[in-house]
Amino acid sequence: MIARRLTVHGRVQGVFYRGWTVETARALGLNGWVRNLRTGEVEILACGEPDAVKTLIDRCRSGPPAASVTHIDVEEAEPERHASFEQRPTA
């Protein structure tokens, strides 16, 4: 299992990005969380099999139809155990 922390930049709030991320991550069998940041970005912690995490990162570059992603910062993170993939409150 690996974990990656993503910070997604662009027009990613108010466009169903968090809901889309939850659906996409769960379909890939990942656990972790997604939340809006007060600075306008979306933060994601994705934990799971390396191929599934990579697939999520690739899909996040586009996101849902209304999103406009300019770039994503990806950092290694410590894996956390979560029951599933959840949406968290804004931080």
Side-chain angles (χ1 to χ4, degrees):
M1 176 188 282
I2 66 166
R4 296 293 181 267
R5 184 176 308 273
L6 288 64
T7 304
V8 185
H9 302 265
R11 189 178 54 150
V12 293
Q13 291 191 10
V15 295
F16 192 64
Y17 202 97
R18 289 175 300 160
W20 173 89
T21 302
V22 169
E23 290 175 3
T24 303
R26 286 180 179 172
L28 291 168
L30 298 174
N31 61 54
W33 48 262
V34 59
R35 65 184 174 191
N36 282 343
L37 298 176
R38 287 187 175 83
T39 54
E41 294 84 19
V42 169
E43 182 180 27
I44 300 166
L45 177 68
C47 305
E49 295 301 318
D51 287 343
V53 172
K54 182 185 180 314
T55 298
L56 178 67
I57 293 168
D58 290 343
R59 291 181 184 174
C60 283
R61 296 188 194 288
S62 297
S68 178
V69 177
T70 57
H71 70 281
I72 300 176
D73 299 324
V74 180
E75 302 175 0
E76 289 188 27
E78 287 295 319
E80 297 177 6
R81 292 283 179 198
H82 296 274
S84 66
F85 200 93
E86 63 186 30
Q87 183 171 311
R88 289 192 170 174
T90 299

